[in-house]
Amino acid sequence: MSSDCCKSGFKWEGTPTGTEATFAGTKTYVTGESKSIAILYIHDIFGWTFPNARVLADYYAEKANATVYVPDFFDGEIVSPEMLDDPTKQASFSIPDFISRHSKELRYPAILNFATELRNQYDKVGTIGFCYGGWAVFRLGAKDQGLVDCISTAHPSLLEDSEIESLVVPTQILSPEHDFAFTDELKEQCNQVIPRNNVPYEYVYFPGLVHGFATRGDRNDDVQREGLERAARSAVNWFREWLH
């Protein structure tokens, strides 16, 4: 398996029901009506306009009774979902070049600012990150931050040892069997370090599935559909437990 998993998958059917707004100086998709509970959704490379992300955010807002925010953390760059159906566009899209344009050093300040504003306005704040967004939720859940009450992540990318070791909030990981980014070594480290640090922890394993399944899985394939739906339900249950 390679980083090709980051730029492949399937676009889902569905019409987002939220609105676009500006929050903390950032263009954002907002869905839900809660005045006390917020969830920050940190997207994968397909960004804040990706229909799958918005449909999933709508589901979290409804089922977890929260207001969900999907901000643009790529400073206006949009990766078209058309790439999912076009092998030529996939081949020409460079993941390393994309990451260099959106390094942690460049993008984390805006993520931190956004989470800080949510904390100022809501009683409880959770966050979930997919692929690229995975490392960011770990940082937000670190000691001395005090910004979020729980985190969840599916197939996180770019994760570092220090980000795992610094966690102090309830943590959920939605982990496929096959993942080039969230390697067996990183999985083992999470499963050892997080409980050892006395952090409430839930590791949900998805046999047979691959990196990207929770946001770009094929709904027409029974195994993938069941996996992505189970991942969505698991995240909702996690947020209901720690935010309500």
Side-chain angles (χ1 to χ4, degrees):
M1 186 185 300
S2 71
S3 61
D4 288 348
C5 293
C6 289
K7 51 185 178 179
S8 62
F10 296 82
K11 182 180 174 182
W12 300 341
E13 298 294 329
T15 302
T17 59
T19 60
E20 293 185 3
T22 298
F23 185 90
T26 303
K27 290 183 178 180
T28 306
Y29 177 75
V30 184
T31 179
E33 300 179 352
S34 177
K35 303 299 183 184
S36 59
I37 296 173
I39 296 172
L40 171 58
Y41 182 124
I42 306 181
H43 48 66
D44 62 14
I45 69 167
F46 288 92
W48 77 294
T49 61
F50 188 37
N52 295 15
R54 296 187 173 195
V55 168
L56 196 52
D58 290 343
Y59 178 81
Y60 294 154
E62 177 186 359
K63 300 300 183 181
N65 190 21
T67 298
V68 182
Y69 292 77
V70 188
D72 172 19
F73 287 136
F74 291 152
D75 196 26
E77 179 173 355
I78 299 296
V79 177
S80 172
E82 293 179 1
M83 185 170 68
L84 295 173
D85 300 316
D86 190 329
T88 301
K89 289 183 179 180
Q90 289 182 25
S92 64
F93 185 85
S94 170
I95 294 293
D97 288 350
F98 181 87
I99 296 301
S100 70
R101 295 193 298 274
H102 303 290
S103 66
K104 295 182 179 184
E105 291 73 22
L106 286 174
R107 299 300 167 222
Y108 188 62
I111 295 171
L112 181 64
N113 178 64
F114 202 100
T116 301
E117 288 300 312
L118 287 179
R119 174 56 87 193
N120 289 338
Q121 296 191 29
Y122 288 87
D123 298 332
K124 294 282 188 175
V125 179
T127 185
I128 187 165
F130 298 92
C131 305
Y132 175 92
W135 64 269
V137 301
F138 273 72
R139 288 199 178 187
L140 292 177
K143 57 187 176 183
D144 301 326
Q145 293 287 358
L147 294 176
V148 296
D149 297 286
C150 66
I151 70 170
S152 177
T153 182
H155 33 78
S157 298
L158 307 174
L159 195 57
E160 300 175 21
D161 293 350
S162 60
E163 292 162 346
I164 298 170
E165 294 164 356
S166 297
L167 277 174
V168 295
V169 301
T171 298
Q172 178 191 64
I173 297 177
L174 308 172
S175 176
E177 179 180 2
H178 307 291
D179 196 329
F180 79 97
F182 191 46
T183 62
D184 290 344
E185 291 76 17
L186 283 171
K187 292 173 184 175
E188 182 178 1
Q189 184 172 2
C190 285
N191 288 335
Q192 290 182 354
V193 171
I194 299 173
R196 187 178 66 210
N197 288 347
N198 201 32
V199 174
Y201 181 50
E202 180 175 76
Y203 181 85
V204 189
Y205 179 65
F206 297 83
L209 296 183
V210 302
H211 183 89
F213 81 95
T215 52
R216 287 173 272 113
D218 184 359
R219 288 184 176 273
N220 293 316
D221 178 275
D222 289 345
V223 173
Q224 294 187 52
R225 185 186 68 255
E226 290 169 4
L228 64 89
E229 289 178 352
R230 177 180 168 222
R233 291 194 305 269
S234 296
V236 165
N237 291 338
W238 188 250
F239 289 133
R240 291 185 67 88
E241 178 174 0
W242 294 103
L243 300 180
H244 287 274

